[in-house]
């Protein structure tokens, strides 16, 4: 017996009405039902940060929220942040600073930094390190990711 | 699909909540989900029913009642950290919150969830214990008050029945000028504390008028260092007394686990207590102990 609910959730500007099992977490819903596989699932218990998405503008772990809890909410994933062909400033900073290698942690890093910089304009290098302390990278190392975060913070604060 | 199957309920009011809690067995209450959902994902917890509190807006909010601050159990950690009332009335909570997970988990995590999960290293229960908070619980027999001292029964086991729901936390505020300090040590920022210490301190000249010290992470439940509090009352907080209090902290029992030995936790308890008190002395306008 499975317990299901109808939900209506807006993802990257598009509203989806769908039936979900109530035990399905938001990350699985995005990947398996909406086929938005840019959101990566690493540990699925809230430690690695790879699955971070924006829900009503706030960065949250999509593995720690049930899909049914996203009913009526506005979700933004890594697929929804570029403006057409134009990369988001954080994405561009990652490319320019070689801030990714295998790319597994990258969606979570970028979404986390977008939310953090928006709330903390003028974030310093130390702030950026704290901001990504909940996102694990196992290959590039953090120097280039921090450099990208610092560059993006300075560009985004200058632009606003 | 990570969690085992469950039946999901999301009441929109306290009346609906009471009706659901009265009609189901084998139930877990879902607050922010930052501890329970990992437990569901790993299938440590396999309840038949999940009752989600997130739609009950009455359970969130921070109220300044003069000598008390009342906090709804579903108030997010991110709301506490940004609150002007908390900053003015309970500033040590803001310091402690910097150590609670990461900003992405604080966006969902709640104060009530932290209290009910009752991880031994959790910061918010220790702050509630430091201030002798009073908790309001709704259960099958109506509402009851539980003082924070009676809340932790054992390792991760609050004084809460299966059908009880924590609804409100009332924290008596210290009046007048006082100092505070919160210190924590973890392997990485945002990891579970190995040991954390919090201190509140009111001085009259250089004499201790009132002091409260709490430790988290060292034992299976957070605890007040009452032996040190009693010792310090009416004495100057000079270097000798500070060392003595640090020794008291270090002499308490401490947990061992696969990563951290008991002796290391004891040592940290001494050091964190000393540093928390030093920060409190400075904020209370006291002289640097010498």
């Amino acid at each position: 017996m499975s317990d299901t609910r109808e939900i209506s959730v807006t993802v990257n500007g598009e509203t989806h009405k769908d039936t979900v099992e109530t035990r399905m977490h938001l990350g699985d819903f995005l990947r398996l039902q909406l086929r938005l596989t840019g959101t990566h699932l690493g540990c699925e218990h809230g430690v690695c940060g790879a699955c971070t998405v924006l829900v009503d503008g706030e960065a949250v772990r999509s593995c720690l929220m049930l899909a049914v809890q996203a009913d009526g909410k506005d979700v933004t994933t890594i697929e929804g942040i570029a403006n057409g062909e134009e990369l988001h400033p954080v994405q561009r900073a990652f490319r320019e600073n070689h801030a990714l290698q295998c790319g597994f942690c990258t969606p979570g890093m970028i979404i986390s930094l977008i939310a953090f910089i928006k709330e903390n304009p003028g974030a310093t290098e130390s702030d950026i390190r704290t901001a990504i302390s909940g996102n694990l990278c196992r290959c590039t190392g953090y120097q280039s990711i921090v450099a990208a975060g610092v560059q993006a913070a300075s560009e985004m604060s200058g632009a606003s | 699909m990570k969690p085992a199957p469950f039946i999901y309920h999301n009441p929109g009011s306290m009346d609906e909540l009471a009706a659901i809690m009265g009609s189901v067995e084998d139930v877990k209450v879902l607050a922010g989900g930052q501890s329970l959902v990992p437990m569901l994902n790993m299938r440590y917890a396999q309840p038949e029913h999940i009752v989600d509190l997130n739609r009950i807006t009455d359970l969130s909010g921070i109220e300044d009642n003069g000598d008390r601050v009342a906090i709804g159990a579903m108030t997010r950690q991110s709301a506490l950290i940004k609150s002007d009332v908390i900053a003015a009335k309970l500033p040590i909570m803001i310091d402690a919150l910097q150590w609670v997970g990461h900003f992405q988990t604080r966006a969902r995590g709640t104060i009530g969830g932290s209290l009910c999960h009752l991880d031994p290293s959790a910061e918010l229960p220790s702050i509630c214990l430091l201030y002798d908070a009073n908790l309001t619980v709704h259960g099958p027999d109506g509402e009851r008050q539980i003082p924070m001292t009676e809340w932790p029964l054992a390792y991760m086991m609050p004084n809460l029945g299966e059908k009880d729901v924590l609804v409100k936390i009332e924290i008596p505020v210290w009046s007048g000028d006082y100092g505070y300090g919160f210190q924590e040590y973890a392997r990485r920022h945002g990891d579970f504390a190995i040991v954390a210490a919090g201190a509140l301190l009111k001085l009259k000249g250089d004499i201790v008028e009132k002091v409260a010290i709490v430790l988290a992470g060292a034992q299976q439940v957070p605890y007040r260092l009452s032996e040190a509090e009693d010792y310090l009352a009416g004495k100057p907080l000079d270097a000798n007394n500070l060392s003595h209090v640090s020794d008291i902290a270090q002499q308490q029992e401490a947990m061992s686990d696969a990563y951290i030995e008991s002796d290391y936790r004891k040592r940290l308890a001494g050091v964190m207590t000393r540093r928390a008190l030093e920060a409190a002395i400075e904020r209370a306008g006291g002289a640097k102990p010498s």
Side-chain angles (χ1 to χ4, degrees):
Chain A
M1 178 208 62
S2 64
D3 184 40
T4 59
R5 288 275 182 107
E6 298 288 318
I7 61 167
S8 169
V9 51
T10 303
V11 181
N12 303 329
E14 196 180 328
T15 303
H16 300 264
K17 289 189 196 313
D18 216 334
T19 305
V20 294
E21 260 201 79
T22 53
R23 62 175 167 148
M24 177 178 259
H25 63 60
L26 178 60
D28 268 344
F29 172 72
L30 294 168
R31 289 178 58 85
L32 301 176
Q33 290 193 212
L34 300 189
R35 298 287 169 184
L36 291 172
T37 52
T39 298
H40 291 166
L41 294 173
C43 70
E44 292 184 79
H45 57 271
V47 174
C48 78
C51 70
T52 307
V53 299
L54 301 178
V55 175
D56 289 345
E58 280 194 297
V60 304
R61 307 278 203 237
S62 66
C63 73
L64 297 189
M65 187 167 170
L66 300 171
V68 62
Q69 293 182 303
D71 184 30
K73 299 211 184 294
D74 188 11
V75 177
T76 305
T77 69
I78 191 74
E79 288 94 340
I81 57 166
N83 181 10
E85 290 295 302
E86 191 193 332
L87 294 179
H88 187 282
V90 179
Q91 285 176 305
R92 203 175 61 243
F94 266 60
R95 186 169 73 182
E96 288 170 5
N97 289 277
H98 307 285
L100 66 153
Q101 191 172 322
C102 85
F104 194 88
C105 69
T106 312
M109 289 279 184
I110 289 179
I111 293 286
S112 295
L113 284 169
I114 288 173
F116 185 80
I117 295 169
K118 198 171 165 206
E119 198 147 291
N120 302 275
T124 63
E125 181 187 323
S126 155
D127 297 335
I128 296 292
R129 284 184 188 276
T130 305
I132 60 164
S133 65
N135 294 77
L136 301 183
C137 167
R138 297 289 80 156
C139 59
T140 307
Y142 297 96
Q143 302 294 352
S144 51
I145 298 173
V146 171
V150 170
Q151 178 184 321
S154 124
E155 281 181 24
M156 287 165 71
S157 325
S160 62
Chain B
M1 202 77 68
K2 297 302 173 299
F6 52 74
I7 298 166
Y8 176 80
H9 310 264
N10 57 343
S13 68
M14 290 304 290
D15 287 346
E16 277 178 50
L17 171 67
I20 291 166
M21 294 304 278
S23 67
V24 296
E25 298 292 333
D26 188 15
V27 57
K28 280 298 277 182
V29 171
L30 175 61
Q34 304 303 290
S35 302
L36 178 56
V37 178
M39 291 172 75
L40 293 172
N41 283 349
M42 293 188 275
R43 301 201 176 191
Y44 288 145
Q46 303 190 7
E48 198 170 326
H49 296 270
I50 288 284
V51 176
D52 182 353
L53 302 181
N54 282 278
R55 283 179 62 225
I56 310 177
T57 46
D58 288 355
L59 289 178
S60 296
I62 303 163
E63 236 176 75
D64 182 356
N65 296 335
D67 60 349
R68 288 170 175 269
V69 174
I71 303 172
M74 282 297 290
T75 307
R76 310 271 176 208
Q77 292 153 1
S78 58
L80 294 169
I81 216 169
K82 290 176 201 158
S83 158
D84 294 339
V85 173
I86 301 294
K89 296 288 184 86
L90 305 165
I92 192 173
M93 189 183 273
I94 306 269
D95 278 14
L97 279 160
Q98 314 287 342
W99 296 92
V100 178
H102 308 280
F103 82 98
Q104 302 96 327
T105 61
R106 292 193 295 263
R108 297 283 302 164
T110 65
I111 184 170
S114 300
L115 281 160
C116 293
H117 186 63
L118 202 63
D119 190 284
S121 59
E123 294 81 4
L124 288 174
S126 65
I127 296 299
C128 290
L129 190 59
L130 191 62
Y131 277 98
D132 294 312
N134 205 28
L135 311 185
T136 305
V137 167
H138 274 211
D141 304 321
E143 188 174 292
R144 67 183 195 278
Q145 307 286 323
I146 304 177
M148 193 58 209
T149 45
E150 293 170 20
W151 181 250
L153 297 180
Y155 179 67
M156 297 180 81
M157 191 188 287
N159 189 354
L160 193 73
E162 192 193 42
K163 299 202 169 187
D164 289 338
V165 179
L166 173 64
V167 294
K168 190 169 73 174
I169 299 98
E170 271 195 296
I171 303 182
V173 173
W174 279 32
S175 59
D177 291 334
Y178 68 95
Y180 63 92
F182 189 86
Q183 295 286 321
E184 174 165 327
Y185 186 74
R187 292 279 305 278
R188 288 165 307 187
H189 190 92
D191 279 10
F192 290 104
I194 299 171
V195 171
L200 303 176
L201 175 70
K202 192 178 255 191
L203 292 173
K204 200 171 202 172
D206 61 347
I207 303 295
V208 175
E209 192 181 330
K210 193 176 169 190
V211 64
I213 304 167
V214 73
L215 281 152
Q219 297 183 3
Q220 299 204 331
V221 295
Y223 65 94
R224 286 277 290 271
L225 201 60
S226 23
E227 188 186 336
E229 294 173 6
D230 294 344
Y231 171 82
L232 279 177
K235 293 195 181 70
L237 235 176
D238 56 21
N240 277 341
N241 286 333
L242 192 58
S243 287
H244 184 67
V245 166
S246 173
D247 289 346
I248 293 174
Q250 193 167 339
Q251 283 154 13
Q252 308 298 309
E253 288 297 315
M255 294 188 288
S256 273
D257 59 32
Y259 304 104
I260 309 290
E261 286 182 4
S262 162
D263 279 353
Y264 185 60
R265 279 201 168 83
K266 286 183 183 178
R267 167 90 183 140
L268 273 181
V271 174
M272 293 296 116
T273 300
R274 170 193 288 275
R275 289 184 188 169
L277 277 169
E278 282 170 348
I281 293 167
E282 197 179 329
R283 286 186 170 120
K288 205 173 153 80
S290 55

